[in-house]
Amino acid sequence: MSDWTVEDIEKLGEQVEAEAAAAPDLQALEQVRIAYLGREGRITAALKAIGKMPADQRPAAGKAANLARQRAQQAIASRRKELEAAQTRAGADDQLDVTLPGVGPELGHRHPIMIVLEELCDIFIGMGYEVVSGPEAEWQALNWTALNYPPDHPAMDEQASFYVNDEVMLRTHTSPVQIRAMRARHQPDCPVRQLDWRVPPMEVLGHCRCTPSPVRVVVPGRTYRRESVTLTHHDIFYQFECLLIGEGISFADLHGTMATFVREYFGPNTRIRFRPDFFPFTEPSADFSINCEMCGGEGCRFCKDSGWVEIGGSGLVHPNVLTAGGYDPDKVSGFAFGFGVDRLAQRRFHIEDIRTLYENDMRFLRQF
Ligand code: FA5
């Protein structure tokens, strides 16, 4: 006769599950396995005892013992998995070698265009100029009309510009900021400050009820033109604009300011050359070049053997543009000039293809 009852056997499953779950490590779990499933284990003993039980109890006892064995195997296997995973995690932590040199975060790099722009701004701030900006999506009225472009000027052709809608476009140059800067220098209560940008330029002066302050600003900024991309032309590029308005400003002031700027930026022996040009917003207008710093003016492939490198456009502010800014052309005058920044960056860092400046290739950017 056996001492085992069916109830005893049924309880084994519950007991082994509780003990397996409580095992703190793999060694303790092995002890649980031996205690229940080992040769002398309790479930093994129960299975052996079935043959000695009364015949009517054997089927139920056999079923209970098999179930207990199944529960024991599952409980032990799942606890083993948990304990092994914990051990792997702990092992990984142990592998941290605190004596290894640290990996420093990689420092960012300034974009070559930003390096040039900051240097340009510093030079002009040193001369008492204020750095201002304007929107890249600009009123057509400011990009063209207020700058004295006649309605049929070829530059307004859709081919050369990106239009957003009938009134807004991506600015093709930084010159529209001239108008914004002028109107911002009217006294706070002057109606010109509140005027719609689309008011016909020749009417603006009629709204002025103040004496606007002199203007001395530079404008670094991104510009857009619908052009074929080449080594030196892009459809996105940066310009740098300078505007001075006050009493008695003449071409001599333009020349003096530019001479100071080019000597600071390109070197003390730099010379400037003006040649007559045309811009609707300046009169007279001139393009300006400097002697080629690569060959010292002798002629080389960088200056196409001319000894001169064209930098940008300049001139005295046209009376109609002063009027569009609310300034009386009989009382004040001014000069303006503007040039491309990308080409300066290309020369400074010997970058042959302007596209490299806009591709964001880290191998290129890491060099600066
Ligand atoms: C202008 O944009 C005038 N607003 C400059 C100006 C300002 C004249 C104030 C008078 C008074 P222009 O179209 O020439 O001018 O452009 C000026 C400079 O921008 C060029 O000399 C060139 O360096 C640069 N530039 C023009 N188009 C591109 C382009 N597609 N890609 C790169 N740079 C360009």
Side-chain angles (χ1 to χ4, degrees):
M1 266 316 262
S2 159
D3 298 340
W4 287 90
T5 64
V6 175
E7 290 80 49
D8 291 340
I9 300 173
E10 279 170 351
K11 277 189 199 143
L12 287 175
E14 230 169 274
Q15 288 165 1
V16 70
E17 274 175 358
E19 284 182 41
D25 52 37
L26 286 168
Q27 226 173 347
L29 187 65
E30 180 61 6
Q31 293 307 316
V32 175
R33 191 192 68 77
I34 292 168
Y36 284 87
L37 298 174
R39 220 183 310 155
E40 310 288 323
R42 301 182 65 196
I43 293 174
T44 317
L47 281 162
K48 279 185 197 157
I50 292 169
K52 295 182 194 147
M53 289 170 77
D56 59 336
Q57 287 180 21
R58 277 185 219 153
K63 208 170 152 190
N66 277 329
L67 193 66
R69 184 169 55 182
Q70 232 171 37
R71 286 174 75 174
Q73 284 167 342
Q74 271 171 12
I76 290 167
S78 98
R79 182 64 183 150
R80 175 171 294 125
K81 236 183 182 169
E82 278 174 19
L83 291 169
E84 280 173 354
Q87 210 172 44
T88 313
R89 280 198 302 272
D93 288 348
D94 286 349
Q95 279 164 22
L96 177 69
D97 182 350
V98 292
T99 63
L100 282 175
V103 182
E106 193 185 349
L107 281 181
H109 300 262
R110 281 194 306 160
H111 193 281
I113 290 183
M114 289 305 138
I115 296 174
V116 171
L117 277 182
E118 279 176 26
E119 205 172 305
L120 292 171
C121 286
D122 279 350
I123 292 172
F124 282 91
I125 289 168
M127 289 196 266
Y129 282 79
E130 187 186 335
V131 179
V132 298
S133 62
E136 291 175 23
E138 181 60 280
W139 295 106
Q140 293 177 36
L142 291 196
N143 196 85
W144 306 127
T145 329
L147 290 174
N148 198 37
Y149 277 82
D152 54 354
H153 194 281
M156 293 158 69
D157 190 325
E158 231 180 311
Q159 296 297 317
S161 321
F162 294 105
Y163 287 94
V164 176
N165 58 34
D166 284 348
E167 296 192 309
V168 178
M169 63 187 295
L170 298 183
R171 65 182 179 192
T172 55
H173 49 176
T174 41
S175 302
V177 187
Q178 289 189 17
I179 306 293
R180 289 179 176 274
M182 282 192 250
R183 293 210 204 160
R185 269 147 196 83
H186 286 253
Q187 301 310 308
D189 54 349
C190 178
V192 169
R193 291 282 285 257
Q194 319 301 332
L195 272 190
D196 192 305
W197 297 111
R198 293 161 294 181
V199 164
M202 298 315 281
E203 286 178 19
V204 177
L205 184 54
H207 292 270
C208 180
R209 301 281 171 272
C210 74
T211 306
S213 336
V215 183
R216 190 183 284 186
V217 296
V218 285
V219 189
R222 192 120 79 140
T223 50
Y224 303 81
R225 288 186 197 178
R226 195 125 79 119
E227 283 190 19
S228 319
V229 177
T230 65
L231 290 182
T232 51
H233 285 75
H234 211 300
D235 43 18
I236 301 177
F237 56 99
Y238 278 82
Q239 283 194 344
F240 193 90
E241 183 103 4
C242 175
L243 174 69
L244 180 84
I245 294 173
E247 281 177 27
I249 303 297
S250 69
F251 215 96
D253 298 298
L254 169 63
H255 182 267
T257 305
M258 213 177 261
T260 309
F261 148 57
V262 296
R263 280 171 202 151
E264 282 227 26
Y265 185 81
F266 295 101
N269 299 322
T270 313
R271 285 177 296 130
I272 311 172
R273 182 184 70 176
F274 287 102
R275 283 188 314 185
D277 201 343
F278 174 77
F279 297 101
F281 38 95
T282 45
E283 181 58 36
S285 306
D287 74 26
F288 67 99
S289 310
I290 55 161
N291 54 318
C292 177
E293 78 272 26
M294 302 284 184
C295 60
E298 303 267 295
C300 68
R301 72 186 176 95
F302 289 101
C303 59
K304 299 193 188 103
D305 285 327
S306 70
W308 295 96
V309 183
E310 197 180 307
I311 302 293
S314 66
L316 294 184
V317 181
H318 193 287
N320 291 352
V321 175
L322 291 170
T323 305
Y327 282 74
D328 186 345
D330 291 332
K331 293 188 184 150
V332 295
S333 54
F335 70 70
F337 60 89
F339 52 88
V341 177
D342 304 65
R343 306 226 180 121
L344 292 193
Q346 282 185 271
R347 292 183 72 80
R348 161 73 64 91
F349 300 112
H350 301 281
I351 298 165
E352 194 159 11
D353 188 342
I354 192 171
R355 280 167 283 208
T356 338
L357 292 169
Y358 295 96
E359 282 166 351
N360 291 331
D361 185 333
M362 287 307 290
R363 289 169 300 180
F364 169 74
L365 295 174
R366 279 201 186 99
Q367 298 174 53
F368 299 95

